[in-house]
Amino acid sequence: MNVRRLIPTTAVAGAVVLGLTALSACSTSDAADGGNGDKLKVTASFYPMQFLAERIGGEHVAVTSLTKPGVEPHDLELTPRQIGSISESDYVLYLKGIQPAVDDAILQSGVKNTVDAATLTTLENHGSEVSGHDHGHEEEAHEDEAHEEHAEGDGHNHGEEGGADPHIWLDPVKYAEVAKGVGKSLEKADPDHAAAYKKNTEALVGELDKLNTAYETGLKNTATKTFITTHSAFGYLAERYGLTQQGIAGIDPEAEPSPARIQEIHTIAEKEKATTVFFETLASDRTAKTLAKDTGLKTGVLDPLEGITKKSQGADYIEVMESNLTALQKALGAK
């Protein structure tokens, strides 16, 4: 009897030892108290912030994004568990004005190291139709209409803080400024790994500089400077590279354009020799297709990079921005 009993006991003992080893292995990598070689627990509000935290934090951070892939960030509502996870973070990186639910939760979380990316660069005010070049006069009436649309709970908070446009990450130069600020704040939050954060920041800024150069050279000589988009997210990008963004129906990518606006876009497309109506990966392409049919234009994808999904034209920020450049070159007739 005893012999028979020994086997399971030994097996159990072995399993317990294995279990303990596994547990201790987990606890060193998953615990996130910020000290003793543990990872810094970082919460990022949505993909552009997550990308910065992961690339700059590297192996020293455990990053959680509040916005799941495929979710429109502006529509995000937080679960009680997510709100709890914010207050348990060592460091929170967000962009004020994009996600009101996140802004409120962070305000109430009491986390010491919270960084608003909007404070790390300068925000500007972009009308939904005009960017880069001042073609605004003939569209002023529509501008008023579009701004009313912005103000009505589309999650962009364009009415606040002087109507600043929050889409700073679509300009590689501004995004690099934000990256530098994030690097410095991580060095302060976790001084033990400051050298690694500094090195990772420099590497990322170098990649963003290269991306900026690719855009500058790739969009220097084009047949037209005007592009039409269902989501007016590309104001900073347009301004940086001397282009004009024509938004179909203001900021809301799902909004139906008025017949008058469709006519206006038709006229602009003819006058400015625009060829393409861009839609985005996270929203419906219905508006773009209707407009393209009515105006004889092509459709294409210009990704505002608010999240990465299987449909994204690339695995990360840099790759999708390169795809956006190719799409713009094609639409604008780059020489």
Side-chain angles (χ1 to χ4, degrees):
M1 284 296 281
N2 280 353
V3 175
R4 221 188 279 154
R5 261 199 207 136
L6 271 173
I7 297 161
T9 324
T10 325
V12 168
V16 168
V17 172
L18 276 173
L20 286 174
T21 320
L23 270 176
S24 60
C26 288
S27 60
T28 49
S29 64
D30 293 345
D33 302 323
N36 311 327
D38 296 328
K39 297 194 179 203
L40 196 74
K41 211 177 189 178
V42 175
T43 297
S45 56
F46 72 132
Y47 179 71
M49 302 298 106
Q50 178 192 344
F51 179 76
L52 290 179
E54 287 173 347
R55 288 295 300 271
I56 295 169
E59 61 185 9
H60 302 297
V61 298
V63 182
T64 308
S65 176
L66 294 171
T67 311
K68 300 262 180 304
V71 172
E72 236 292 332
H74 313 292
D75 301 337
L76 182 72
E77 287 179 18
L78 297 174
T79 64
R81 177 178 283 184
Q82 284 178 308
I83 292 170
S85 82
I86 296 173
S87 23
E88 285 160 23
S89 308
D90 300 315
Y91 178 98
V92 178
L93 180 60
Y94 73 114
L95 179 56
K96 194 175 176 193
I98 280 273
Q99 300 169 290
V102 173
D103 298 350
D104 295 344
I106 288 168
L107 202 62
Q108 287 157 27
S109 71
V111 175
K112 189 178 77 161
N113 294 305
T114 60
V115 177
D116 170 12
T119 63
L120 303 175
T121 183
T122 44
L123 265 63
E124 288 154 31
N125 192 348
H126 296 125
S128 71
E129 277 67 71
V130 219
S131 301
H133 298 296
D134 190 4
H135 291 209
H137 308 297
E138 68 228 42
E139 286 141 31
E140 269 164 21
H142 182 74
E143 285 273 50
D144 295 340
E145 222 175 273
H147 281 297
E148 277 166 38
E149 272 171 46
H150 294 189
E152 285 168 24
D154 61 359
H156 279 72
N157 282 9
H158 277 254
E160 287 181 24
E161 297 181 39
D165 175 359
H167 298 88
I168 44 178
W169 66 92
L170 290 162
D171 171 355
V173 177
K174 283 199 175 294
Y175 199 47
E177 284 173 12
V178 173
K180 287 175 192 167
V182 169
K184 286 201 179 84
S185 65
L186 276 171
E187 286 174 44
K188 269 194 199 130
D190 182 15
D192 290 354
H193 301 116
Y197 298 142
K198 199 180 179 71
K199 190 176 156 213
N200 293 346
T201 303
E202 282 166 10
L204 178 58
V205 168
E207 278 186 68
L208 293 171
D209 287 349
K210 249 198 263 176
L211 185 67
N212 173 46
T213 305
Y215 266 79
E216 269 180 351
T217 33
L219 297 171
K220 195 169 273 173
N221 298 311
T222 55
T224 177
K225 294 288 178 195
T226 300
F227 63 98
I228 299 162
T229 172
T230 53
H231 185 176
S232 303
F234 301 92
Y236 290 105
L237 186 148
E239 194 167 342
R240 175 70 57 198
Y241 305 110
L243 307 175
T244 302
Q245 161 183 266
Q246 289 287 348
I248 294 174
I251 282 293
D252 182 354
E254 303 279 2
E256 288 289 333
S258 65
R261 182 60 183 155
I262 289 180
Q263 186 50 53
E264 209 174 358
I265 291 282
H266 189 57
T267 310
I268 290 163
E270 277 186 352
K271 190 176 147 208
E272 304 292 341
K273 299 185 174 48
T275 63
T276 309
V277 180
F278 285 117
F279 60 94
E280 59 171 292
T281 38
L282 293 182
S284 158
D285 61 358
R286 197 178 62 229
T287 303
K289 284 191 168 151
T290 307
L291 185 75
K293 207 173 109 193
D294 292 349
T295 53
L297 298 169
K298 287 180 254 176
T299 57
V301 170
L302 201 57
D303 195 327
L305 262 153
E306 293 178 344
I308 294 276
T309 66
K310 288 190 184 107
K311 287 184 185 170
S312 301
Q313 308 284 309
D316 66 10
Y317 172 87
I318 302 282
E319 287 185 11
V320 176
M321 280 295 279
E322 287 168 348
S323 299
N324 279 348
L325 173 58
T326 307
L328 280 167
Q329 286 176 300
K330 193 176 158 192
L332 300 172
K335 296 180 181 77

